[in-house]
């Protein structure tokens, strides 16, 4: 237990537990206070501040006894090492008796992210209880309070926008601006026509390259009545995070430009805090989803942390044809990230409890149904409706995405969950070979998936050896005739000469002659059911092969 300024350690774990940090051993005392973040350097003999959290990036299980002893001597609150951590009985007992909590940094999170979030969670109150986290004097979660403060200092309505011109916060007094600003506030983003006009006028390029506020003659650029804007980029080092936009009748005075420039630095702290928190959550969530779907030894724990244990679930995969290559990797990744975010948001509304994450070129979602003891409860149909509704609402804003739904499984069996993911992958492959169809369940395309996989096996074996179909194909190439078309039409017509001849627009007698000739060339007995099936399968495999 430590007295002093800081925040309670159990409060930190409630914020970051399950996403960045895991409790490994030792008891977190209800009154233990976290006061400082220290990066371990064994060459440094400086004592730790009481209540410090010691981050040991280069340590493993073998270093735990020494690290915990050092922390206990200095009355530090906790030691953090990279997870997973497996302790022997002797070491675990030593940690339990030390009064120090041993924590693990979860997979998918970085030490830099942990440092930023730990330091942002430190407050100036005793015990950290009943207070809000402050950044530059403003509540970290209240960007609108910050926007109002900036607007009051400038005497004009402002918006805080991200790089995509989406409104993150705005001040009061927007009714004093113009119609474009009102549309921006109502739509939580700059209207497309206004953004395109600014792009053509080079506004975003000026903003990205200028360290000072810039004046934007909005009425002239956009061709509509209204106020001009003064804007300044919000930066973290060389990275542009967004901008502050001020609606003005005339350029700002030098004093107010300085106020705006200073305000951009404060806004950068808020945007960084939100961005780091969101990035950490997404990275950890993606790692958990990937782990859960991999059926490895860590899968049960990942399933538990995702709150999917003991549930009926189905895995949905979403992919965008053409984004798997490296020719335009950054743009492809951006498109995949946008569609993944769209799917995650859609699921949060229509299928609460679902989890989604981008893994490679596919966004996977695990959609829960009723408890494992019950049936599927219409889960496959529900998942398909969710996918179709997403495409309908997006109005093709998802770049031609296709969605495949795997079988319903019990999440208590990780191998079954991995099978559902495999189903989703196989369904996506079928959909990418059938333009026009964008949503399917594996049960509806299983045969097509099997045909593609048989084709893969044949390719690995060098293709089919010379048989009836290959003999006809070779004869066609050498003689410029089409006996293969005749046999194919007859097989497709299930032996009905009239329908088969009509499909080729030839007389039935002519068709019969060509069919007999095709059978001779192929060395095939048309009365042999096994031979007919083999020929139909080979023809079907040829049609299923990628172009």
């Amino acid at each position: 237990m430590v007295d002093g300024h800081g925040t309670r350690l159990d409060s930190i774990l409630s914020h970051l537990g399950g996403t960045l940090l895991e409790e490994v051993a030792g008891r977190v005392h209800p009154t233990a206070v976290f006061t400082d973040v220290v990066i371990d350097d064994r060459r440094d003999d400086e004592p730790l501040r009481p209540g410090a959290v010691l981050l040991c990036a280069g340590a493993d299980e073998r270093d735990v006894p020494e690290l915990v002893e050092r922390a206990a001597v200095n009355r530090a609150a906790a030691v953090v090492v990279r997870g997973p951590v497996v302790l022997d009985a002797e070491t675990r007992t030593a940690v339990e008796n030390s009064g120090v909590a041993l924590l693990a940094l979860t997979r998918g999170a970085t030490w830099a992210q942990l440092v930023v979030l730990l330091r942002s969670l430190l407050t100036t109150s005793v015990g950290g209880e009943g207070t809000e986290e402050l950044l530059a004097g403003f509540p970290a979660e209240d960007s609108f309070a910050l926007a109002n403060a900036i607007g009051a200092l400038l005497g004009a309505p402002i918006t805080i926008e991200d790089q995509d011109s989406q409104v993150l916060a705005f001040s009061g007094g927007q009714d004093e601006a113009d119609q474009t600003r009102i549309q921006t506030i109502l739509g939580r983003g700059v209207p497309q026509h206004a953004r395109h006009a600014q792009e053509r006028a080079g506004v975003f390029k000026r903003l990205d390259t200028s360290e000072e506020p810039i004046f934007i003659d909005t009425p002239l650029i956009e061709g509509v009545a209204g106020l001009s804007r003064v804007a300044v980029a919000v930066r973290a080092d060389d990275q542009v995070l967004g901008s502050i936009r001020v609606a003005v009748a005339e350029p700002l005075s030098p004093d107010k430009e300085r106020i705006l420039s200073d305000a951009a630095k404060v806004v950068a702290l808020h945007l960084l805090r939100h961005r780091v928190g969101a990035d950490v959550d997404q990275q950890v969530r993606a790692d958990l989803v990937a782990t859960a779907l991999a059926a490895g030894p860590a899968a049960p724990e990942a399933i538990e942390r995702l709150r999917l244990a003991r549930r009926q679930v189905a895995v949905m995969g979403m992919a965008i044809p053409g984004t798997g290559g490296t020719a335009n990797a950054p743009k492809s990744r951006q498109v995949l990230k946008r569609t993944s975010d769209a799917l995650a948001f859609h699921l949060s509304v229509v299928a609460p409890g679902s989890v989604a994450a981008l893994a490679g070129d596919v966004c996977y979602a695990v959609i829960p149904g009723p408890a494992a003891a019950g049936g599927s409860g219409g889960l496959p149909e529900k998942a398909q409706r969710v996918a179709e509704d997403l495409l309908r609402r997006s109005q093709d804003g998802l770049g031609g995405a296709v969605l495949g739904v795997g079988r319903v499984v019990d999440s208590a069996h990780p191998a079954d969950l991995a099978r559902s993911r495999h189903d989703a992958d196989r369904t996506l492959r079928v959909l990418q070979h059938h333009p026009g169809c964008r949503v399917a369940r594996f049960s509806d395309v299983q045969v097509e998936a099997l045909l593609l996989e048989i084709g893969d096996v044949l390719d690995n074996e060098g293709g089919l050896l010379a048989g009836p179909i290959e003999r006809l194909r070779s004869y066609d190439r050498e003689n410029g005739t089409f006996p293969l078309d005749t046999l194919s039409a007859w097989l497709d017509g299930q032996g009905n000469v009239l329908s088969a001849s009509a499909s080729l627009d030839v007389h039935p007698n002519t068709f019969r002659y060509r069919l007999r000739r095709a059978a001779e060339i192929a060395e095939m007995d048309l009365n042999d059911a096994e031979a007919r099936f083999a020929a139909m399968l080979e023809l079907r495999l040829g049609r299923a092969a990628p172009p």
Side-chain angles (χ1 to χ4, degrees), residues 10-29:
D10 60 356
S11 175
I12 298 300
L13 291 175
S14 70
H15 279 88
L16 305 181
T19 54
L20 262 74
L21 293 175
E22 297 174 344
E23 295 184 54
V24 177
R27 179 171 173 264
V28 177
H29 196 280

Side-chain angles (χ1 to χ4, degrees), residues 299-361:
E301 181 185 355
I303 292 170
E304 189 76 37
R305 289 176 60 187
L306 291 169
R307 299 182 180 179
L308 295 171
R310 298 167 294 282
R311 301 289 298 274
Q312 293 286 314
V313 298
V315 178
M316 175 191 293
M318 181 176 70
I320 302 177
T323 55
T326 58
N328 198 0
K331 183 177 180 180
S332 295
R333 192 69 186 172
Q334 185 178 25
V335 172
L336 287 166
K337 178 67 168 60
R338 186 178 69 246
T339 55
S340 176
D341 290 344
L343 176 61
F345 177 77
H346 182 67
L347 289 172
S348 70
V349 176
V350 302
S354 301
V355 295
L358 187 63
D361 297 326

Side-chain angles (χ1 to χ4, degrees), residues 121-191:
L121 289 171
L122 279 172
T123 67
T124 57
S125 66
V126 177
E129 192 170 13
T131 63
E132 292 182 282
E133 176 194 345
L134 301 180
L135 286 177
F138 291 91
E141 298 296 338
D142 196 351
S143 298
F144 288 87
L146 176 58
N148 277 323
I150 298 170
L153 290 171
L154 297 175
I158 74 141
T159 57
I160 299 173
E161 302 172 11
D162 65 12
Q163 280 186 289
D164 296 323
S165 299
Q166 298 300 303
V167 176
L168 304 176
F170 55 88
S171 68
Q174 297 298 335
D175 55 325
E176 301 171 9
D178 50 35
Q179 188 61 35
T180 299
R181 174 57 63 84
I182 292 172
Q183 292 175 4
T184 298
I185 298 300
L186 292 177
R188 298 305 300 269
V190 176

Side-chain angles (χ1 to χ4, degrees), residues 190-209:
V190 176
Q192 284 297 320
H193 71 272
R195 181 173 173 83
H196 291 159
Q198 293 180 38
E199 287 175 342
R200 289 193 296 269
V203 169
F204 294 103
K205 185 175 181 180
R206 289 173 57 203
L207 193 60
D208 289 350
T209 57

Side-chain angles (χ1 to χ4, degrees), residues 107-430:
R107 288 187 298 176
T110 67
W111 291 103
Q113 291 163 343
L114 180 60
V115 169
V116 170
L117 287 179
L118 284 176
R119 286 179 174 163
S120 72
L121 289 171
L122 279 172
T123 67
T124 57
S125 66
V126 177
E129 192 170 13
T131 63
E132 292 182 282
E133 176 194 345
L134 301 180
L135 286 177
F138 291 91
E141 298 296 338
D142 196 351
S143 298
F144 288 87
L146 176 58
N148 277 323
I150 298 170
L153 290 171
L154 297 175
I158 74 141
T159 57
I160 299 173
E161 302 172 11
D162 65 12
Q163 280 186 289
D164 296 323
S165 299
Q166 298 300 303
V167 176
L168 304 176
F170 55 88
S171 68
Q174 297 298 335
D175 55 325
E176 301 171 9
D178 50 35
Q179 188 61 35
T180 299
R181 174 57 63 84
I182 292 172
Q183 292 175 4
T184 298
I185 298 300
L186 292 177
R188 298 305 300 269
V190 176
Q192 284 297 320
H193 71 272
R195 181 173 173 83
H196 291 159
Q198 293 180 38
E199 287 175 342
R200 289 193 296 269
V203 169
F204 294 103
K205 185 175 181 180
R206 289 173 57 203
L207 193 60
D208 289 350
T209 57
S210 174
E211 297 287 341
E212 304 297 328
I214 64 171
F215 181 77
I216 306 169
D217 192 343
T218 304
L220 177 64
I221 290 172
E222 298 180 8
V224 295
L227 299 176
S228 298
R229 306 282 190 267
V230 173
V232 65
V234 176
R235 286 185 169 83
D237 294 327
D238 295 331
Q239 184 181 14
V240 177
L241 305 176
S243 64
I244 304 174
R245 305 286 183 115
V246 191
V248 296
E250 59 187 15
L252 294 176
S253 67
D255 286 342
K256 288 190 174 181
E257 282 196 350
R258 282 194 294 274
I259 291 173
L260 183 58
S261 294
D262 291 340
K265 299 173 184 177
V266 178
V267 170
L269 292 175
H270 283 252
L271 296 189
L272 268 178
R273 193 267 184 192
H274 289 298
R275 171 175 287 194
V276 169
D279 287 349
V280 168
D281 286 343
Q282 288 180 355
Q283 288 180 13
V284 173
R285 177 63 60 89
D287 185 68
L288 286 174
V289 171
T291 302
L293 297 178
E301 181 185 355
I303 292 170
E304 189 76 37
R305 289 176 60 187
L306 291 169
R307 299 182 180 179
L308 295 171
R310 298 167 294 282
R311 301 289 298 274
Q312 293 286 314
V313 298
V315 178
M316 175 191 293
M318 181 176 70
I320 302 177
T323 55
T326 58
N328 198 0
K331 183 177 180 180
S332 295
R333 192 69 186 172
Q334 185 178 25
V335 172
L336 287 166
K337 178 67 168 60
R338 186 178 69 246
T339 55
S340 176
D341 290 344
L343 176 61
F345 177 77
H346 182 67
L347 289 172
S348 70
V349 176
V350 302
S354 301
V355 295
L358 187 63
D361 297 326
V362 178
C363 178
Y364 293 103
V366 184
I367 303 175
S376 65
L379 184 54
E381 294 79 8
K382 174 186 175 182
Q384 184 169 359
R385 286 196 303 272
V386 167
E388 292 171 344
D389 187 50
L390 173 65
L391 295 181
R392 183 170 58 254
R393 290 174 182 270
S394 72
Q395 296 180 346
D396 208 32
L398 298 180
V402 292
L403 296 99
V405 180
R407 72 188 71 188
V408 175
V409 297
D410 185 345
S411 65
H413 305 291
D416 290 345
L417 190 60
R419 184 183 297 278
S420 186
R421 173 193 176 167
H422 185 49
D423 291 347
D425 288 335
R426 296 164 75 190
T427 306
L428 290 176
R429 186 183 181 195
V430 172

Side-chain angles (χ1 to χ4, degrees), residues 431-508:
L431 291 173
Q432 293 186 64
H433 281 86
H434 292 77
C437 182
R438 299 182 61 183
V439 178
R441 290 175 289 172
F442 178 66
S443 58
D444 296 327
V445 299
Q446 186 174 15
V447 172
E448 287 85 348
L450 287 170
L451 288 171
L452 289 172
E453 289 157 9
I454 293 172
D456 293 340
V457 173
L458 290 175
D459 287 343
N460 290 335
E461 295 180 352
L464 279 172
L465 300 178
I469 300 302
E470 184 55 35
R471 283 192 284 272
L472 285 174
R473 191 173 283 121
S474 298
Y475 188 89
D476 283 353
R477 286 194 298 265
E478 294 171 3
N479 298 278
T481 57
F482 306 99
L484 181 58
D485 289 348
T486 301
L487 179 60
S488 178
W490 183 73
L491 291 172
D492 288 344
Q494 298 182 4
N496 189 316
V497 172
L498 294 179
S499 63
S501 61
S503 69
L504 296 181
D505 196 24
V506 298
H507 191 277

